[in-house]
Structure formats: structure tokens, C-alpha cells
Amino acid sequence: MDMLSWTCPAPLRHQPRVVMGHGGGGAMSAELVDHIFAPAFGGEVLAQLGDAAAVTLGGTRLAFSTDSYVVRPLFFPGGSIGDLAVNGTVNDLAMSGARAAYLSCAFILEEGVEMPVLARVAEAIGAAARAAGVEVATGDTKVVESGHGDGIYVNTAGIGLIPAGVDLRPQRVVPGDVVIVSGAIGAHGVAVMSVREGLEFEAEIESDSAPLGGLVAAMLAVTPDLHVLRDPTRGGLAASLNEIAAAARVGVVVRERAVPVPPAVANACSVLGLDPMYVANEGKLVAFVPPEHADAVLAAMRAHPLGAGAVVIGEAVADHPGTVVARTGLGGTRVVDLPVGEQLPRIC
Amino acid sequence: MDMLSWTCPAPLRHQPRVVMGHGGGGAMSAELVDHIFAPAFGGEVLAQLGDAAAVTLGGTRLAFSTDSYVVRPLFFPGGSIGDLAVNGTVNDLAMSGARAAYLSCAFILEEGVEMPVLARVAEAIGAAARAAGVEVATGDTKVVESGHGDGIYVNTAGIGLIPAGVDLRPQRVVPGDVVIVSGAIGAHGVAVMSVREGLEFEAEIESDSAPLGGLVAAMLAVTPDLHVLRDPTRGGLAASLNEIAAAARVGVVVRERAVPVPPAVANACSVLGLDPMYVANEGKLVAFVPPEHADAVLAAMRAHPLGAGAVVIGEAVADHPGTVVARTGLGGTRVVDLPVGEQLPRIC
């Protein structure tokens, strides 16, 4: 194929080059998938890219997922690139209902990284893997010249069994489903941004980085009939709710006052000019649950340490399919859009 | 953990910082695994890091492997980072006897990459996946600022079924095993280096990048009782033979004149100051086969398009365990060491 005569199968509307926003997990990332990756890789994968894939191998149903981690700085209050690399992929698998069993771990190291820093990241990966009950089974290391990396980039992929009878996907969401969030939002993004910007707040805000496989297992023990789970990472709760609304062709109504935002996070967000709905979380999930199971699932979540702050924040509705609406405290409503680009670059 | 007071569990002997050689797949890479990653991640994984892991999930035996690809330039005679990213991981799985079923694909993009270049890489991934009969099932995209990447880095992880009765690992190698290589060596490394260095040779040398799952299946159809397979990528045939000799505690004797090196590759190697035994291949394998099966396996390889040039190059011996020795054309012998650092940086 001659590079000069080659043209995009469906050129991106806005950008002749990759910009930071294409990595933000919002509308620009979706455009990259829809116009570049999905046509190149084939149709089957279209609906799966960006989430854990459910695949069948030897008669066994597996969840399979990957993420690269480029967070800056490598260490921040409450975590590091190491535990993010474990928890992020463990959580992607958990959103399929799967307990992560094995991870791969691949490093792209920049020449000159101090060996103790690398060792400290490796230690964090090992500790997080043990905490999540997952084994690092295979790995790879590449080194690039100084000026072609940023210290340490980590990729993990993970596999885990999907329990029988569990079928979590946005297409199963129907009007009337209850929307539950597992706890307070916004801590991860604010923790990373505050250290990056050198800001100090009255109370130090720590990342919520945590593995959600146990919480999901506790929820599935109530009923396998949950409809969809998402961990609201890049793009925050707003991105997760919009993706679900679009894929399920339902509207979503959120009671703004019900969304738990710690005062310290709300304060930091106002200083940083951020909306907590768009800030990344690394230890939270949002669930769409049939109303007949909502009370029992909520109780099971609250009985788990990582779901102690679980609350109902809204519901799926038949009106305005594909659109997320927030009811404000004053009785008004506003549309909660899918973020376009990247509010917080390199947050995970 | 306080970063300043923290020290390596087992400090690397030679380097306080990461250098290019740690990514070369030789002794320095092994040291990183032994002293940093294996102690941090836990003992189970020690013997598996760097190769496909064999894991059992839901009663199913799977091969699971990952590699990041940082090859420079992105396009070279005979291939690109896109088909390397597919074939490299497909071949790692094939060395466990597994046919790759699903791949993950994660990009770390540098801000400013031209969209048609990204699309061309994605097209190459899709085409290589179709050729290998593997599906890209899940993915991720991150973007880093200009000066913190090098255009496009790709990570793939892969999973595939290990057929019943197949148990390929160096520990099964015994003295008397016949060493077979599937064809001529050295083309990939020379192809990449020649374009990088702007060298032109009489005949253009193309990378041998190819998926080996079909060739391995043809070999296993003869007998599941092959002992070990390796694809000699970074560090070349010398690294693969040394790793097997060390893990199997056998000696390996190679007849130097039997190792197939195309004249164009030999010529380029002498210009570039390279030893073909240490040059990366991306579409070749080396097999240790019980002598009673060697003729039939060799015939099956030669009947396959990717094994047409298969030849016996030596055998495993009880003498000098852990050491690879080449018999030269003049009747002498020389030790073929494990490469220490990196002869050809960023070759895959």
C-alpha cells in the first residue's frame, strides 16, 4: 500500500492529526474507534472496543480486557501507576461480572529511569495483584531512548471467568432500571491533578484506586440479573451514563443532589474549574438494576467496604433516548453531555 | 512507602538506571526480571515472564502472552509495526502449541501523529489478524504529549487454547533431541536496520514477519510430543538456544554451516557489523524434537509454506550443560553466548 495515495476509509471530521483529546475516553476517542479502528479490525469488535470483551474459548466464557497506563506523575496521594495498572484492568473485567484471574504486564521504559523507581512501581503492581487476588502471569519489557517516553508506561491485559447466567451489557437496560453509584465520585482525578498542579487543599484528597471484583461478586450474589455495570474512569460518571444511554437507547435522569461528592472534592473542583461528573474514578462503579432488585442490591453494596457509600442517583426512562439529564436542586434540568475531548490529560 | 528510604530488594549489579540494553531480550533483560519483576510479582511467575504463560481457567488450558512494540521506523521492507504487533503475539502463543484466538490491542499515541499514518497501522493490524485467523476483541487508546512518545507504540496481548497432550517447555528437552530451524535467519533485523541507517543493498531484504500458528499445527499433527519451540526474536537464535540450554540443563551443539543465512543477509550483516545468530527474526521458529520424530516433523515443516526452508542445525547433548557451542566449518568450536545488552535497539 502506497502511503501517499492512501486515504482514511472515513476521515475524521475535525483532525488531520492525533491530539490529546483522542485519548480522553470521550466523543473524540469514540470517533477514533468508529472511523479508524473498527473498520480496520472488522465488524465483530465494533461494540466491544474500549470495554472488556466477552469471548468463548474451549466452551468457557471469558472476559478479556486491556488498558495502557500513562498517568503523570507516577506516584500520587492514594496510589501509583502500579496499582492503577492492576485495579484498572481488574475493574474492567469486573464490569463483565468476571473475577480477574490472570494479568499480563508490559513496560515501556524510558532510558534513564532510576532503578529504585521501577522497583517501587513493580512492588505496587505485586501488592495490588495480591490484594485483588489476581496473578501476573506473563510480561514484557521494552526500552526507548530518552525523550521518547515519560519514565514508565505500563500496559496490562486481563482474563477472568464470567459466571454462568451473568450477562451485563447496556443493551439489557430498560426504562425503570434504577441507577446506583457505589460511593463518592471525583477523588482520583482531583488527587492526580492537585499533585500535578502543586496545589494543596485543607484536607489531602487521595485517589480511590481499588479493585472492585469483590463488590461485584457481592452484588451478583443477590441476583445475577443486574443489567449493566461500568467503572466511571476517563470522562467520569458523565461519560459512563452517556455511553449506556446511547447503547441502550434509553434516557437517563440523575438527581444532581443525590450524586455523592465529598466537600473536599467539590471545593478542589471549583478551584480547578472541573465538574465532578466528568472527573475520573478508579474504585467506583455505576449499576443499572431492575427495580425489584434495587433495595437488596443496594443493601449488599453497603455491606461491602468498597460500597459503603452506595446510593441511588436516578433511573432509566423512556423519554429522550440517548440523553442524560440532571435534575438540579432548584427543580430545573440540564443535559449532561458526553465529554468531547480530554478535561484531565494522562489521568490513568 | 517513602521513596527516599526505599531500596531495591536485590539491586542490579551494574546499573542504577534503566539503559537501552534492558530492553534487548538478553542477559540484562533477564536480570531485570530476576531482580525486579519476579520478586515483586511473586514466585509462580518467575519461570514464565517473557514467554507465553500456560494457565488454566474454568478447566480450559490457555496460553496467554503480551508484547509491546516500539519498532522504529513504523514501516520497513516486508512489514510494519502493525503486522509485527499481531504476528509477534500470535507466535508467542504458537510456541506453547496454541492457535491464537483473540488479541487485545492498545495504542500509546504521541500527539501530532498524522491520522492517515495511524489508519495505515490499524489496517496492517486488521490484515495481519485476518491472515492469522485471530480476532482483535478489545482495545485501548492513550495519547501522550509530543516529546513523550515516538509516533505510535502498540501493545497486544493474546489468548489461545493449548491442545490436549501438548506440553512444550525447555525442561522437557533431553540430550539427543534434534534442533530444527524453520528457515533462513536474520532477515527481520537486517531489514529494519538497513532502512533505519539508510543503507541500500543489491537486493532489498524484507522482514520475515509471519504468523506461525499454522506451521506449528502442522508439526503437532505429526506428534504432540515436541519438546520445546521458540521464535528467535530479540537476541536472535543465539538467545533462544541459550535460554533453552540453561532451562533444560543440557548443552547445545550447532553446526555453523547448517544454519541457513541468505547471502544478502550475510553480506548486510558484515557491513553492519552484526552476527546473524544474534539478529531478530519475526517469522521463524526453532524446535527441539525427539530424534525418533525428527524426520517426520522436518518433512511436515517443509511441506508448509512457512517451513519450506527447514533444516536440522544441531542437537542437545549431555556435555557442557547450559552452554551453546557452534562447530565451525574448519572443525573448531566456539561458544555462542547469551547476548548481554541490545545489538539492535527497537527492532520490534
Side-chain angles (χ1 to χ4, degrees):
Chain A
M1 193 162 54
D2 176 0
M3 193 172 154
L4 293 175
S5 68
W6 190 91
T7 53
C8 270
L12 289 179
R13 279 194 302 267
H14 307 303
Q15 298 291 343
R17 291 174 181 271
V18 170
V19 298
M20 295 302 292
H22 288 114
M28 291 177 70
S29 294
E31 202 174 39
L32 213 54
V33 172
D34 291 347
H35 290 267
I36 303 280
F37 298 137
F41 297 169
E44 293 267 330
V45 81
L46 183 70
Q48 297 194 334
L49 261 179
D51 293 297
V55 301
T56 301
L57 204 51
T60 300
R61 270 179 84 219
L62 300 176
F64 181 32
S65 187
T66 190
D67 267 316
S68 292
Y69 299 86
V70 299
V71 64
R72 186 168 52 86
L74 297 175
F75 305 96
F76 45 81
S80 71
I81 193 172
D83 59 66
L84 273 196
V86 172
N87 292 335
T89 296
V90 162
N91 292 349
D92 279 345
L93 298 175
M95 299 308 110
S96 300
R99 281 300 271 268
Y102 297 100
L103 291 184
S104 65
C105 181
F107 293 92
I108 297 176
L109 305 176
E110 186 185 15
E111 187 183 24
V113 173
E114 292 177 11
M115 208 57 82
V117 172
L118 176 61
R120 194 177 164 209
V121 169
E123 285 290 338
I125 290 171
R130 285 185 289 278
V134 64
E135 186 181 343
V136 181
T138 185
D140 178 53
T141 306
K142 295 293 191 303
V143 182
V144 295
E145 304 87 347
S146 179
H148 291 301
D150 197 5
I152 301 176
Y153 296 147
V154 184
N155 176 282
T156 54
I159 52 176
L161 282 178
I162 301 176
V166 172
D167 181 21
L168 298 167
R169 49 195 169 87
Q171 292 78 9
R172 294 196 59 225
V173 169
V174 290
D177 279 3
V178 176
V179 182
I180 304 174
V181 70
S182 66
I185 63 167
H188 174 72
V190 168
V192 173
M193 286 307 290
S194 59
V195 62
R196 199 189 291 170
E197 303 297 329
L199 299 177
E200 289 197 17
F201 300 104
E202 278 181 45
E204 185 180 70
I205 297 162
E206 294 203 338
S207 169
D208 60 346
S209 176
L212 296 171
L215 175 63
V216 170
M219 296 166 69
L220 290 171
V222 174
T223 172
D225 190 31
L226 309 175
H227 284 167
V228 74
L229 302 177
R230 283 286 164 100
D231 58 330
T233 56
R234 283 180 293 175
L237 192 56
S240 292
L241 294 176
N242 269 282
E243 284 164 26
I244 292 168
R249 298 171 193 275
V250 298
V252 173
V253 175
V254 172
R255 286 182 295 283
E256 199 164 57
R257 281 186 170 174
V259 177
V261 182
V265 169
N267 175 39
C269 279
S270 72
V271 171
L272 290 162
L274 303 174
D275 180 338
M277 289 288 284
Y278 292 89
V279 174
N281 312 278
E282 291 290 341
K284 296 297 179 304
L285 64 81
V286 59
F288 281 62
V289 181
E292 63 272 25
H293 298 305
D295 288 346
V297 169
L298 188 63
M301 293 173 76
R302 287 179 172 168
H304 190 281
L306 293 174
V311 286
V312 172
I313 60 166
E315 60 273 323
V317 298
D319 290 344
H320 52 81
T323 300
V324 180
V325 164
R327 289 238 164 83
T328 64
L330 300 171
T333 61
R334 65 180 177 100
V335 171
V336 180
D337 277 327
L338 182 66
V340 173
E342 179 136 52
Q343 186 178 228
L344 303 172
R346 296 184 56 187
I347 206 71
C348 66
Chain B
M1 194 162 53
D2 175 1
M3 194 172 152
L4 293 174
S5 68
W6 189 92
T7 54
C8 269
L12 289 180
R13 279 193 303 268
H14 307 303
Q15 298 289 345
R17 292 174 181 272
V18 170
V19 299
M20 294 303 291
H22 288 114
M28 292 178 69
S29 294
E31 202 174 39
L32 212 56
V33 171
D34 291 346
H35 291 268
I36 303 278
F37 298 137
F41 297 167
E44 294 267 330
V45 80
L46 184 70
Q48 296 195 334
L49 262 180
D51 293 297
V55 301
T56 301
L57 205 51
T60 299
R61 271 178 84 221
L62 300 176
F64 181 31
S65 186
T66 190
D67 268 316
S68 292
Y69 299 85
V70 298
V71 65
R72 185 168 54 85
L74 297 174
F75 305 94
F76 45 81
S80 71
I81 192 172
D83 60 66
L84 273 197
V86 172
N87 291 337
T89 296
V90 163
N91 290 351
D92 280 345
L93 298 175
M95 298 308 110
S96 300
R99 280 301 272 267
Y102 297 100
L103 292 184
S104 65
C105 182
F107 294 91
I108 298 177
L109 305 177
E110 186 185 16
E111 187 183 22
V113 173
E114 291 176 13
M115 206 58 80
V117 172
L118 177 60
R120 193 176 163 210
V121 168
E123 285 290 335
I125 290 171
R130 285 185 289 278
V134 63
E135 186 180 343
V136 181
T138 185
D140 179 51
T141 307
K142 295 292 191 302
V143 182
V144 295
E145 305 86 347
S146 180
H148 291 300
D150 197 5
I152 301 176
Y153 296 148
V154 183
N155 175 282
T156 53
I159 51 176
L161 283 179
I162 301 176
V166 172
D167 180 21
L168 297 167
R169 49 195 170 87
Q171 293 77 9
R172 294 196 59 224
V173 168
V174 290
D177 279 2
V178 175
V179 182
I180 304 175
V181 68
S182 65
I185 64 167
H188 174 71
V190 167
V192 173
M193 286 307 288
S194 59
V195 61
R196 198 189 294 170
E197 304 297 330
L199 299 177
E200 288 198 16
F201 299 103
E202 277 180 48
E204 185 180 68
I205 296 162
E206 294 204 338
S207 169
D208 60 346
S209 176
L212 296 172
L215 175 62
V216 170
M219 296 166 70
L220 290 171
V222 174
T223 172
D225 191 31
L226 309 175
H227 285 166
V228 73
L229 302 177
R230 282 287 165 100
D231 58 329
T233 57
R234 283 181 292 174
L237 191 57
S240 292
L241 294 176
N242 269 281
E243 285 164 24
I244 292 168
R249 300 171 191 278
V250 299
V252 174
V253 175
V254 172
R255 287 182 296 282
E256 199 165 56
R257 280 188 172 174
V259 177
V261 181
V265 169
N267 174 40
C269 278
S270 71
V271 172
L272 291 162
L274 303 174
D275 179 340
M277 288 289 282
Y278 292 89
V279 174
N281 312 278
E282 292 289 342
K284 296 297 179 303
L285 64 82
V286 58
F288 282 62
V289 181
E292 64 271 26
H293 299 305
D295 287 347
V297 169
L298 188 64
M301 293 173 76
R302 287 181 172 167
H304 190 282
L306 292 174
V311 287
V312 173
I313 60 166
E315 58 274 323
V317 297
D319 291 344
H320 52 79
T323 300
V324 179
V325 163
R327 291 238 163 85
T328 63
L330 301 171
T333 61
R334 64 179 178 102
V335 171
V336 180
D337 277 327
L338 182 64
V340 174
E342 179 137 51
Q343 187 178 230
L344 303 173
R346 298 183 55 187
I347 206 72
C348 64

